[in-house]
């Protein structure tokens, strides 16, 4: 197209534009034919004859990032007033160009951060799955070995019937244990229960204490409740919350085989953003090493525990946008605090309701 040149590169100092960029000074030439800086070959390329020319730099914080050039005023020559006007315009243009550039850089940066964060999350997930697979293999291997041995012994021909029975019963016990492990594993990835509803946390807690009533009674554990009267309903999956509370309560009962006290309380934080449910027992408490591991799948100190109770609870609370914390010192009892947001982020709850990720 006549009058258009694109993709041409000028070095700083080359031609009038190059001169303006190199010096940072505006340039006004009303007779370019006799101007030593003018490059006549540009006319040859554009097919356009330049007579008068006005060029100003685009400057951002003392740095020249470009130039604007006007050629051939319709009537007569460019004036100092034209120069002033163009310089004022160039000021705004320079800021706009710089902002656009910064914005692009920022957007690129944000994108980069997002990408590396996603990679981190993925890496952490892979590591978690790796740990899980390793402990699962170990966990399943033990009962399988026991079943193998029991069956082997049960099949010995000369064996008295009573012993055969005992070996078969042992095998059966181990099979039950395997089934339980697998069932809880499934819960781990596909939490039970329906969808998200407006939930009364106190109500869920009271249901759990009722459900666990027999266990609590047999364990000689005294329950002391102090439930806040002003809790708002929060979006949650009640069955899943109940599962969390039940795991914590049963753990406390199991931690106090001689009986003891379990204090259960709820409160609304002062800013009204969080509901806290706290469980403090008078059991043996935990060492720092135990505390570091309680939420790991399969970590258990009990002969018949699966070690999944708190790992499952952790996942559930996380999907509710909350946190679960433990604090304890040996011989001082253990405290578990579940923090639930009153206004959880919708995306998180969505993931919670279908269990998939
Ligand atoms: N209240 C508590 N006091 C002392 N230790 C605790 C308490 N709660 C949990 N723990 C420790 O954390 C471990 C993990 O608990 P978690 O509920 O995940 O598994 P578990 O109770 O061992 O097995 P499961 O829940 O499958 O029966 C327990 O084995 C115990 O060592
Ligand atoms: Mg448990």
């Amino acid at each position: 197209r006549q009058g258009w040149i694109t993709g041409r590169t000028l070095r700083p100092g080359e031609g009038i534009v190059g001169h303006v960029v190199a010096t940072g000074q505006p340039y006004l030439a009303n007779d370019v034919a006799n101007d030593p800086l003018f490059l006549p070959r540009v006319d040859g390329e554009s097919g356009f004859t330049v007579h008068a020319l006005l060029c100003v730099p685009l400057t951002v914080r003392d740095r020249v990032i470009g130039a604007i050039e006007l050629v051939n005023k319709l009537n007569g020559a460019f004036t100092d007033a034209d120069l002033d006007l163009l310089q004022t315009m160039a000021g705004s243009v320079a800021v706009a160009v710089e902002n656009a550039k910064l914005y692009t850089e920022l957007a690129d940066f944000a994108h980069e951060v997002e990408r590396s964060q996603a990679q981190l999350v993925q890496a952490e997930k892979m590591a978690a799955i790796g740990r899980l697979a390793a402990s699962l293999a170990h966990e399943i291997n033990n009962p399988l070995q026991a079943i193998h041995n029991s069956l082997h012994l049960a099949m010995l021909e000369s064996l008295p019937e009573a012993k055969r029975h005992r070996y078969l019963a042992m095998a059966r016990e181990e099979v039950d244990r395997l089934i339980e492990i697998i069932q809880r594993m499934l819960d781990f990835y596909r939490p039970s229960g329906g969808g998200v509803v407006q939930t009364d946390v106190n109500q869920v807690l009271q249901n759990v204490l009722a459900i666990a009533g027999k266990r609590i009674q047999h364990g000689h554990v005294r329950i002391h409740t102090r439930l806040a009267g002003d809790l708002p309903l929060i979006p949650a999956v009640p069955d899943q919350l109940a599962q969390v509370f039940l795991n914590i309560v049963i753990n406390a009962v199991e931690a106090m085989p001689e009986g003891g006290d379990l204090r259960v309380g709820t409160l609304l934080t002062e800013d009204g953003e969080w509901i806290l449910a706290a469980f403090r027992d008078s059991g043996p408490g935990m060492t720092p090493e135990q505390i570091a591991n309680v939420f790991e799948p399969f970590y258990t100190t009990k002969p018949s525990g699966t070690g999944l109770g708190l790992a499952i609870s952790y996942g559930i609370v996380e999907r509710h946008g909350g946190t679960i914390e433990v604090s304890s010192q040996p011989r001082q009892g253990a405290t578990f605090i579940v923090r639930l947001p009153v206004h959880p982020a919708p995306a998180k709850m969505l993931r919670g309701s279908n269990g998939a990720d």
Side-chain angles (χ1 to χ4, degrees):
R1 277 182 281 179
Q2 214 189 21
W4 283 75
I5 303 178
T6 56
R8 175 173 241 299
T9 310
L10 291 175
R11 285 187 305 278
E14 189 182 6
I16 289 175
V17 181
H19 174 78
V20 166
V21 168
T23 62
Q25 294 302 314
Y27 200 88
L28 195 165
N30 278 320
D31 180 15
V32 292
N34 291 315
D35 195 305
L37 283 176
F38 184 62
L39 295 178
R41 64 182 157 83
V42 178
D43 274 8
E45 287 173 28
S46 68
F48 184 85
T49 309
V50 175
H51 301 294
L53 182 154
L54 183 56
C55 187
V56 299
L58 295 175
T59 312
V60 178
R61 287 186 296 275
D62 295 334
R63 203 164 48 82
V64 180
I65 61 166
I68 300 180
E69 191 179 77
L70 302 185
V71 295
N72 294 358
K73 191 167 173 179
L74 281 182
N75 294 309
F78 288 113
T79 64
D80 284 344
D82 295 331
L83 183 72
D84 280 350
L85 180 63
L86 189 60
Q87 272 187 302
T88 307
M89 282 169 57
S92 308
V93 171
V95 170
V97 169
E98 183 68 3
N99 281 348
K101 212 177 95 200
L102 285 178
Y103 178 79
T104 312
E105 277 172 16
L106 197 66
D108 286 352
F109 180 67
H111 188 72
E112 187 55 37
V113 169
E114 234 168 63
R115 222 174 47 104
S116 48
Q117 232 167 26
Q119 275 172 352
L120 258 181
V121 168
Q122 190 58 29
E124 173 52 34
K125 258 192 207 157
M126 295 303 286
I129 290 174
R131 280 203 301 270
L132 194 72
S135 22
L136 182 63
H138 175 81
E139 210 61 29
I140 290 184
N141 196 42
N142 288 348
L144 276 182
Q145 287 294 339
I147 293 167
H148 178 88
N149 294 341
S150 301
L151 290 181
H152 177 79
L153 291 170
M155 283 167 77
L156 292 177
E157 277 181 16
S158 59
L159 204 68
E161 209 44 33
K163 276 202 161 172
R164 194 188 311 280
H165 242 97
R166 246 189 56 212
Y167 289 134
L168 286 175
M170 275 162 67
R172 186 190 177 149
E173 242 170 60
E174 291 300 326
V175 168
D176 286 347
R177 189 169 144 68
L178 271 182
I179 290 173
E180 195 198 330
I181 290 176
I182 300 294
Q183 193 48 52
R184 301 200 72 172
M185 274 297 304
L186 291 176
D187 290 348
F188 192 62
Y189 285 107
R190 189 163 31 74
S192 66
V196 175
V197 294
Q198 289 295 81
T199 304
D200 179 345
V201 175
N202 281 343
Q203 185 67 55
V204 173
L205 202 48
Q206 274 162 332
N207 287 350
V208 164
L209 292 175
I211 291 168
K214 276 268 176 307
R215 282 293 292 277
I216 292 167
Q217 223 180 337
H218 281 152
H220 303 288
V221 172
R222 287 173 300 274
I223 300 281
H224 312 263
T225 47
R226 192 185 260 181
L227 305 185
D230 59 348
L231 294 190
L233 299 182
I234 60 167
V237 186
D239 286 3
Q240 292 185 14
L241 280 194
Q243 204 179 339
V244 172
F245 296 155
L246 190 65
N247 282 335
I248 295 175
V249 168
I250 295 297
N251 277 348
V253 172
E254 287 174 344
M256 303 184 286
E258 314 290 318
D261 295 284
L262 174 59
R263 288 166 207 289
V264 182
T266 54
L267 65 82
L268 181 66
T269 55
E270 241 167 58
D271 59 10
E273 294 294 331
W274 299 90
I275 288 179
L276 268 52
F279 304 80
R280 184 151 64 89
D281 64 51
S282 61
M286 281 176 269
T287 62
E289 194 260 335
Q290 279 178 293
I291 291 180
N293 285 301
V294 283
F295 298 112
E296 283 288 325
F298 300 118
Y299 175 79
T300 180
T301 55
K302 301 168 192 170
S304 63
T306 65
L308 285 171
L310 288 177
I312 292 170
S313 303
Y314 189 93
I316 290 174
V317 173
E318 197 178 44
R319 278 190 295 274
H320 279 76
T323 59
I324 172 168
E325 287 160 31
V326 55
S327 61
S328 173
Q329 258 155 25
R331 293 182 303 282
Q332 307 272 315
T335 304
F336 284 83
I337 296 180
V338 178
R339 248 173 190 275
L340 296 165
V342 173
H343 310 285
K348 280 200 166 160
M349 296 304 290
L350 210 68
R351 262 192 291 157
S353 62
N354 64 18
D357 201 359

